[in-house]
Amino acid sequence: MERAKIRLHVDHPLGQGQAVPLTQDQAHYLFSVMREGPGSRVALFNGRDGEWTAEVAEAAKKGGRLVCLEQAAAQLNPPDLWLIFAPIRKERTDFIVEKATELGCARVLPVQTDFTNAQRIRQDRLQAHALEAAEQCLGTYVPPVDDLVALNALMKGWDPARRILWADESLVGPAETLSGLVPGPWAILIGPEGGFSEAERAKLRGLDFVTPVSLGPRILRADTAACAAITLWQAALGDWR
């Protein structure tokens, strides 16, 4: 069966013959925007059951019903990698969340640092960007995006079994290969525009579970650094090996 071109994330079990109700927003998108109707094929995923090809059984302005036909792709979960980052300008923060989803992060944690410009975020909007990114890149997993939390508070309650790879902009030089690091649960830490304060640097250096790393001979923007660090980790310790 040809893979459906339209993909939707649903909060509903998926399986052979399973009926899946549509929300009003999904029905509007599918029937009013995309002009689909009964008999049309749609790809569905819920973050648990892989991707399923479904057929439109009922179409209405405020709802509808799909029926699962067959599984098109198995569930693919990301490795146990989290991204911790300080929010920057709106569009670039959106970019970081989108790329973290595409590159295979299991969780995204925005943090408030001494030099973070943003005092608050729209967590619901960032979660929606993660969902859109998963829909567009044929992913079957949507990473949860946490609400903004202070870096100090996050570190105080941190489980040291999850090591942190800190992209330290002060270590400009040859990029690290990460070949000597051990697999397991990890997080990547990306600082704000302007970097971390000296007080934050001192605290991070004093944590046994934090490993500073260089991302090469150039100072990278925060959004570029996030992509570079995730790529390095995925190639050395993740599911790109």
Side-chain angles (χ1 to χ4, degrees), residues 185-213:
W186 278 85
I188 288 171
L189 174 60
I190 303 294
E193 294 172 321
F196 292 102
S197 69
E198 284 306 315
E200 289 170 332
R201 288 181 178 283
K203 289 181 180 179
L204 289 171
R205 291 192 191 104
L207 297 173
D208 292 339
F209 53 83
V210 174
T211 301
V213 66

Side-chain angles (χ1 to χ4, degrees), residues 41-59:
R41 300 290 171 86
V42 182
L44 302 179
F45 69 103
N46 60 7
R48 303 181 301 277
D49 301 320
E51 179 183 307
W52 282 78
T53 300
E55 184 175 86
V56 177
E58 296 177 11

Side-chain angles (χ1 to χ4, degrees), residues 53-207:
T53 300
E55 184 175 86
V56 177
E58 296 177 11
K61 289 184 178 180
K62 295 185 177 181
R65 181 171 59 89
L66 309 180
V67 175
C68 293
L69 301 178
E70 67 177 19
Q71 190 177 52
Q75 178 65 26
L76 177 62
N77 291 326
D80 195 0
L81 175 67
W82 298 357
L83 175 66
I84 310 167
F85 78 100
I88 45 181
R89 288 196 295 274
K90 177 179 175 293
E91 295 80 6
R92 288 168 61 192
T93 294
D94 296 345
F95 176 89
I96 290 174
V97 171
E98 290 167 2
K99 299 314 166 190
T101 302
E102 292 178 26
L103 291 169
C105 288
R107 184 179 175 188
V108 180
L109 299 90
V111 291
Q112 179 80 39
T113 70
D114 289 346
F115 295 155
T116 302
N117 292 326
Q119 300 299 315
R120 61 181 63 86
I121 61 168
R122 280 283 306 277
Q123 183 275 337
D124 58 339
R125 184 176 60 80
L126 293 179
Q127 187 66 69
H129 277 290
L131 191 154
E132 275 184 26
E135 287 179 341
Q136 293 173 6
C137 73
L138 304 185
T140 55
Y141 178 86
V142 181
V145 181
D146 291 13
D147 208 349
L148 190 67
V149 63
L151 177 63
N152 287 338
L154 184 66
M155 291 298 98
K156 284 180 181 178
W158 193 261
D159 179 359
R162 179 177 299 277
R163 298 195 58 81
I164 294 177
L165 191 69
W166 169 24
D168 186 355
E169 71 276 4
S170 71
L171 299 179
V172 177
E176 304 288 345
T177 64
L178 313 188
S179 58
L181 301 182
V182 296
W186 278 85
I188 288 171
L189 174 60
I190 303 294
E193 294 172 321
F196 292 102
S197 69
E198 284 306 315
E200 289 170 332
R201 288 181 178 283
K203 289 181 180 179
L204 289 171
R205 291 192 191 104
L207 297 173

Side-chain angles (χ1 to χ4, degrees), residues 10-21:
V10 295
D11 187 18
H12 199 277
L14 301 176
Q16 185 70 42
Q18 176 70 56
V20 180

